[in-house]
Amino acid sequence: MEVEVMSGIYRLILLFSCSLFPFWSAGENHRLLDHEKWVLTQYADWAKDNGGNRSLSLKIPLDATLVNMTYGAHLELDLTPFRGKQIVISGMISGQEIPPSRERHNCAKLMLVHHGPGGEQYIQSSQGLWGTFPERLEELSFAVPESPGKNILMIGIQNNHGAVQIRNVKLEERDLFPAPAPLPEDFRCEYSDSVRNAPRLRGAGTIPSSTEQDMADFAALGGNVLRWWIRYDATGEATSRRRTLTAALDRLQAMLPTCDKLGLKIIPVLVDVPGGRYQRPEVLGADLADISEQQRSLGNFRLFFDKALLDDYVAIWQEIATRFRHSPAVWGYSLMNEPTQFGRVPFDYLKCQYLAAAAIRKIDPEKPVIVSANDWDNAEAFPYLKPLPLRNVLYEVHMYAPHRYTHQGVSEESLREVKQGKFLVYPGRIDARQYDRQALRLILQPVVEFQKKYGAIVYCGEFSVIRWVPGGAKYLDDLCSIFEELGWHWAYHFYREWDGWNPEYSDLLQEEGRVLHESSRMKVLKKYWRKNGSGKKQLSTRVR
């Protein structure tokens, strides 16, 4: 996260200085600069563009003493008419002599500050927009949740010098994520009795190098499902993709007899789709809520723009379903790992999954198909997630919020702070908000609303906390108890992968080797895994 904790000035703006922009109708194109509720900051004034329309003129001298805020103009927006819809806010920006900054968000921008149940979120049109540049279009997109919260639009320059002119700022509704197939108004998800009444899945993720002994050890802990990563040369040429995919599927198939003996179920997940992303995140569960729209678009899958890659993606799932449709250990198919679609694309994230799911259903009519939400399987993407008109479809969410807490020490910068003993603590105040079980439950509320509206079965395919942060066991305990309350299937991230997530490792940063005693996180997970029962009774924990 590049934008730091909200400054006191921001908070005053949120509480006092903006009146709600009133009385608009969804579906219209709204010219925002025409309205009188804007609040100007220091160094800003109104001007007229060549057409006589209102524009913002901001000039911040080089010797000005600045604080961490966006200088320019602020407007509080009532987004209630857009609940469950996607909006785009755009404007024409030109700039002069804006110096580069160590913090890339200190630049010219449009920014929407959203304060909702999940805390503050900063949606920015740009990062690193410095120097002198001619007029250009900048825009940001935002999926308005069912509970719209408080929303402040800020236009200008954040914590930097120089000048900008901003005109033609407008808000419009765009259907960036249409339903891939028609749905009746009263649509409810359909499940067979075997899927609706299936035993609860409580497990973890694993990597394809896992051995028979790894699986036996996991079964002894009480887990009953492994989210199996299918790794192959997704970004290579077609022949390499096929060759490495076949090897990955051969590896999985070789392990299925062991899974049958141990009573373990497997959910294969295609970690990378053909072509991969335009730009990979540095860490899993990356929080892109606080980076620019331009950078967000780099997270798009290439197959969103390439029909040949999409066809290969569907063909891969046809091959997987053909191979494993009669395998009792394979519980279902997880179609896509953490999709990230930003803006309009030829083949959107849900359409791609629908095509794969429909192809699977022609081969395997029964095994569950698991569909991922957009924006890294984010709970905040569920308001615009559409259910698929297919039988036995589950819907997947991932949970790492608050990201600054769960990922402390994952990046180099945060690792330096951790080594200095500077920790965020759970439960506690993080980014000016109190985080506890109730706060986590509120973050997941969009998923709950989707679950209730459509009668959907939900699967939390990833959740975790880095092993060395204070309160990690409590965080996991609270999340697991929420999943139990809501009746969700779940898989912890991760069993015997990187030591930062592996619950077998110590709670202390300096202890990097696998420990023999139980970590506090492992004790929590075992408590919930053992709700599964004993799996195959009297099974030896030592594979022979």
Side-chain angles (χ1 to χ4, degrees):
M1 178 183 292
E2 294 198 60
V3 177
E4 298 302 323
V5 179
M6 258 186 142
S7 72
I9 292 178
Y10 275 1
R11 200 155 308 283
L12 287 174
I13 290 168
L14 282 170
L15 293 176
F16 301 117
S17 67
C18 296
S19 300
L20 285 177
F21 170 67
F23 308 127
W24 51 17
S25 300
E28 297 179 3
N29 188 324
H30 304 280
R31 294 176 57 86
L32 298 182
L33 288 183
D34 294 342
H35 305 290
E36 300 300 326
K37 300 297 184 180
W38 287 91
V39 175
L40 291 174
T41 72
Q42 190 178 12
Y43 310 117
D45 204 351
W46 296 118
K48 295 289 185 180
D49 65 16
N50 293 335
N53 298 308
R54 197 183 203 188
S55 65
L56 176 72
S57 177
L58 174 67
K59 298 179 180 179
I60 306 176
L62 284 174
D63 58 355
T65 301
L66 305 178
V67 296
N68 185 22
M69 64 171 284
T70 296
Y71 292 85
H74 306 153
L75 176 66
E76 183 174 352
L77 303 176
D78 179 7
L79 297 182
T80 303
F82 302 98
R83 287 181 297 185
K85 302 180 183 298
Q86 297 93 49
I87 61 170
V88 173
I89 298 175
S90 61
M92 303 301 296
I93 304 181
S94 59
Q96 298 83 39
E97 299 180 348
I98 304 171
S101 169
R102 186 178 65 86
E103 304 290 347
R104 290 181 56 80
H105 56 268
N106 290 339
C107 67
K109 66 173 69 175
L110 312 176
M111 180 167 70
L112 183 68
V113 181
H114 169 68
H115 182 85
E120 282 90 8
Q121 185 179 359
Y122 304 82
I123 305 95
Q124 306 176 73
S125 66
S126 57
Q127 290 237 324
L129 186 51
W130 300 313
T132 297
F133 52 89
E135 187 173 73
R136 55 186 281 173
L137 174 67
E138 289 290 332
E139 63 179 29
L140 60 87
S141 61
F142 179 58
V144 182
E146 290 295 331
S147 300
K150 185 183 290 289
N151 300 278
I152 307 293
L153 176 62
M154 301 180 177
I155 62 174
I157 300 175
Q158 181 174 345
N159 194 20
N160 205 339
H161 304 89
V164 292
Q165 299 78 42
I166 302 177
R167 67 176 187 88
N168 196 25
V169 178
K170 59 185 180 181
L171 180 152
E172 57 186 313
E173 179 187 327
R174 292 186 194 170
D175 191 4
L176 300 175
F177 311 102
L183 293 173
E185 289 188 9
D186 59 348
F187 178 82
R188 300 284 289 177
C189 296
E190 179 186 356
Y191 299 98
S192 63
D193 289 343
S194 61
V195 173
R196 174 70 74 181
N197 302 320
R200 185 79 58 81
L201 298 177
R202 304 177 180 91
T206 193
I207 51 179
S209 58
S210 293
T211 66
E212 291 183 347
Q213 190 58 56
D214 290 331
M215 292 185 167
D217 292 345
F218 180 71
L221 295 170
N224 65 358
V225 67
L226 286 169
R227 184 176 183 258
W228 182 282
W229 280 22
I230 298 176
R231 280 180 167 162
Y232 66 109
D233 186 14
T235 59
E237 297 295 327
T239 53
S240 179
R241 288 203 300 271
R242 274 284 177 255
R243 176 177 52 80
T244 54
L245 176 69
T246 297
L249 299 183
D250 287 346
R251 169 66 180 166
L252 172 56
Q253 191 156 26
M255 300 301 292
L256 293 182
T258 299
C259 296
D260 284 329
K261 289 190 294 183
L262 294 167
L264 287 175
K265 297 298 183 184
I266 294 291
I267 297 178
V269 54
L270 208 59
V271 177
D272 293 304
V273 297
R277 305 179 196 268
Y278 279 103
Q279 178 175 287
R280 287 193 59 83
E282 290 185 3
V283 295
L284 294 167
D287 183 0
L288 291 195
D290 305 299
I291 70 171
S292 71
E293 197 73 7
Q294 180 185 24
Q295 286 180 309
R296 287 160 67 90
S297 68
L298 292 175
N300 275 326
F301 288 155
R302 293 178 184 271
L303 63 76
F304 295 161
F305 304 88
D306 190 320
K307 181 64 161 56
L309 291 174
L310 173 56
D311 290 343
D312 194 30
Y313 167 71
V314 173
I316 285 173
W317 277 113
Q318 289 173 317
E319 180 177 346
I320 293 172
T322 299
R323 185 184 281 225
F324 297 117
R325 60 183 169 175
H326 298 307
S327 299
V330 175
W331 192 88
Y333 312 107
S334 182
L335 299 181
M336 196 174 273
N337 184 58
E338 297 190 334
T340 49
Q341 178 196 334
F342 303 104
R344 197 182 302 276
V345 298
F347 313 108
D348 69 70
Y349 83 103
L350 192 56
K351 180 69 171 181
C352 294
Q353 293 182 89
Y354 174 67
L355 293 174
I360 289 172
R361 278 292 162 261
K362 294 178 181 178
I363 299 167
D364 185 343
E366 182 65 19
K367 284 189 192 298
V369 169
I370 302 173
V371 167
S372 286
N374 193 30
D375 203 10
W376 312 95
D377 284 290
N378 197 318
E380 292 186 350
F382 272 75
Y384 59 86
L385 175 63
K386 313 296 193 304
L388 301 187
L390 297 171
R391 194 168 182 244
N392 290 346
V393 178
L394 278 65
Y395 298 87
E396 182 167 351
V397 64
H398 292 180
M399 179 61 176
Y400 292 97
H403 188 269
R404 284 191 353 108
Y405 169 73
T406 60
H407 282 62
Q408 292 177 86
V410 176
S411 69
E412 290 185 7
E413 182 178 354
S414 63
L415 182 59
R416 285 194 295 269
E417 294 182 351
V418 166
K419 288 182 176 179
Q420 294 170 7
K422 299 177 181 178
F423 288 103
L424 297 173
V425 178
Y426 178 90
R429 293 191 69 79
I430 301 167
D431 292 343
R433 181 191 173 185
Q434 179 67 24
Y435 280 92
D436 51 22
R437 186 185 187 279
Q438 182 180 5
L440 300 184
R441 180 65 167 72
L442 281 173
I443 292 170
L444 294 170
Q445 186 59 29
V447 189
V448 177
E449 292 172 359
F450 180 93
Q451 178 183 7
K452 291 179 178 178
K453 181 177 181 179
Y454 298 112
I457 297 177
V458 175
Y459 166 63
C460 184
E462 289 186 20
F463 67 100
S464 198
V465 61
I466 205 72
R467 65 178 174 86
W468 46 73
V469 298
K474 173 62 174 171
Y475 177 84
L476 294 180
D477 201 351
D478 285 348
L479 277 182
C480 288
S481 70
I482 291 170
F483 302 154
E484 295 296 313
E485 169 197 337
L486 298 173
W488 294 358
H489 301 295
W490 55 266
Y492 169 79
H493 183 87
F494 217 104
Y495 180 71
R496 290 189 180 172
E497 192 228 14
W498 179 50
D499 73 90
W501 305 124
N502 190 344
E504 294 177 302
Y505 283 68
S506 168
D507 296 332
L508 301 177
L509 175 64
Q510 60 269 28
E511 295 184 8
E512 296 183 0
R514 184 175 299 161
V515 294
L516 298 177
H517 62 81
E518 292 183 341
S519 71
S520 60
R521 291 161 294 114
M522 177 63 87
K523 290 178 181 178
V524 168
L525 292 169
K526 282 176 63 176
K527 178 177 71 172
Y528 289 98
W529 283 334
R530 287 177 175 173
K531 290 178 178 288
N532 293 321
S534 58
K536 297 284 187 179
K537 296 183 182 297
Q538 308 302 320
L539 183 72
S540 171
T541 60
R542 177 65 58 180
V543 172
R544 296 177 174 85

